[in-house]
Amino acid sequence: MAEKAAGGGVQSVERVFELLELITDAGGEVTLSELSSSTDLPLPTIHRLLRTLVMKGYARQLPNRRYALGPRLIRLGEGANKQLGALARPQLKMLVDRLGETSNMAVLDSDMVVYIAQVPSSHSMRMFTEVGRRAHTHDTGVGKAILAQLDNETVRNIVTRAGMPTPTEKSIRTVDQLLEELDQIRQRGYSIDEQEQELGVRCFAMAVPNAPTPTAISVSGPISRVDEGFADKAVPLLRSAAQAISDDLNLAS
C-alpha cells in the first residue's frame, strides 16, 4: 500500500515531483550529491526514485554521471502548454480586438521562454512570433516580465546559463543592466521590449499573477503604432487580461 503524505497525498509521488522540480531549478541537470544537499530525502531513496524515472524516460543519466530531465517530459509539457494557451486565448483575443496588435503568451521553460499562444493582428505589417519558439529572457518583453517575478540570484543563474546575446544595438548587454531594469519593471508592473529583439518593434508585457509556472502575456507591434499613447491604453488592458487568466487558472486547478 502506498505511503500517505501529511497533506493527504501519496508520499512517493510527492517525492518524485520534488526531485523533478529540483532538477529543473538547477537548469535541467544535476549531480546526485547536489540533489542530496537540496532535499531531506535519504540518499538511497533519491537513488531509487531516480532509477525509476530513468527507466520510464522522465529522467536520464548523462555520461558524466549527472542526471537530466528526460524526453518523455516534453510530451507532457507540450500538452500542458496547449491547454494553458487555449485557456488564455479569449483574453489574448480581447487584447487584439481592443488594441489592434498581436498578443502573445509565454512561459518560462528551464532558462528560456517558450511562446505557447498567439492571436495575430489584422494589420498587414505586424509582429509575428511562432508558437513553440524559444527565446532568451533578457531581451524579450515576456521574458523580462517573468524575470521580474524572481529574486536576483535566480535571475543571475538563468542568464548566466543561457547567455546574453544582443540581437540589436538596443539589447541589454550585462547582468547589472538587466537587474537595474527589473527593479523598474517591479515598480511600474509591466515590462517593455524596446526594439531589443527586432529593430522597429516594441512590446509591452505583464506577468500573470499566481500562475502555476512563471507566465506572461504581451502585445507587440511596429513602433509607428505602438507608441506612448498606445501604452496608456495597453497597460490597463494587459493588467485586466493577466488577472482574468490568473482567475481562470486558479479556478481550474
Side-chain angles (χ1 to χ4, degrees), residues 47-247:
H47 192 266
R48 174 174 54 82
L49 294 174
L50 284 174
R51 188 167 64 246
T52 301
L53 286 169
V54 169
M55 289 174 54
K56 294 292 186 180
Y58 295 108
R60 56 196 176 97
Q61 189 169 26
L62 305 176
N64 61 5
R65 309 297 292 174
R66 296 173 71 86
Y67 287 91
L69 298 175
R72 292 198 68 180
L73 290 171
I74 296 173
R75 184 170 64 89
L76 297 181
E78 288 176 345
N81 283 342
K82 286 179 181 178
Q83 291 298 313
L84 180 55
L87 181 146
R89 189 174 178 82
Q91 294 302 321
L92 298 183
K93 186 177 184 303
M94 179 275 292
L95 290 172
V96 176
D97 290 344
R98 299 285 296 276
L99 298 169
E101 303 297 341
T102 298
S103 63
N104 287 289
M105 184 181 206
V107 297
L108 184 65
D109 181 20
S110 187
D111 299 325
M112 307 280 279
V113 289
V114 58
Y115 289 88
I116 64 171
Q118 179 184 90
V119 175
S121 165
S122 61
H123 291 289
S124 57
M125 184 173 68
R126 65 193 184 198
M127 171 66 177
F128 179 77
T129 296
E130 184 179 358
V131 171
R133 173 180 170 244
R134 294 170 63 82
H136 284 83
T137 55
H138 72 285
D139 58 4
T140 55
V142 287
K144 290 188 291 183
I146 286 172
L147 290 182
Q149 308 300 302
L150 309 176
D151 63 83
N152 285 351
E153 185 61 28
T154 300
V155 171
R156 285 184 181 275
N157 290 338
I158 287 173
V159 297
T160 297
R161 289 189 297 256
M164 297 183 69
T166 52
T168 78
E169 61 195 30
K170 295 181 177 290
S171 303
I172 295 175
R173 297 176 181 273
T174 69
V175 177
D176 288 341
Q177 286 179 327
L178 176 61
L179 294 178
E180 184 177 339
E181 178 156 345
L182 293 181
D183 282 340
Q184 297 174 10
I185 293 168
R186 291 170 184 132
Q187 291 174 23
R188 69 179 177 232
Y190 63 93
S191 66
I192 308 171
D193 168 1
E194 188 59 75
Q195 306 182 70
E196 296 161 54
Q197 267 282 302
E198 183 179 348
L199 290 176
V201 174
R202 183 175 287 126
C203 168
F204 292 90
M206 190 171 294
V208 175
N210 303 313
T213 191
T215 305
I217 57 174
S218 68
V219 284
S220 309
I223 59 175
S224 59
R225 297 195 305 259
V226 181
D227 53 16
E228 288 187 13
F230 179 89
D232 292 339
K233 296 182 296 182
V235 169
L237 290 172
L238 276 169
R239 184 174 295 111
S240 174
Q243 186 59 57
I245 293 169
S246 174
D247 292 344

Side-chain angles (χ1 to χ4, degrees), residues 9-65:
V10 178
Q11 191 175 61
S12 58
V13 175
E14 292 183 357
R15 288 171 168 178
V16 163
F17 282 113
E18 180 183 356
L19 292 182
L20 290 173
E21 289 177 357
L22 287 172
I23 297 172
T24 301
D25 292 343
E29 62 177 71
V30 69
T31 65
L32 190 61
S33 60
E34 287 169 343
L35 280 176
S36 180
S37 64
S38 301
T39 179
D40 294 330
L41 296 177
L43 189 58
T45 299
I46 296 173
H47 192 266
R48 174 174 54 82
L49 294 174
L50 284 174
R51 188 167 64 246
T52 301
L53 286 169
V54 169
M55 289 174 54
K56 294 292 186 180
Y58 295 108
R60 56 196 176 97
Q61 189 169 26
L62 305 176
N64 61 5
R65 309 297 292 174

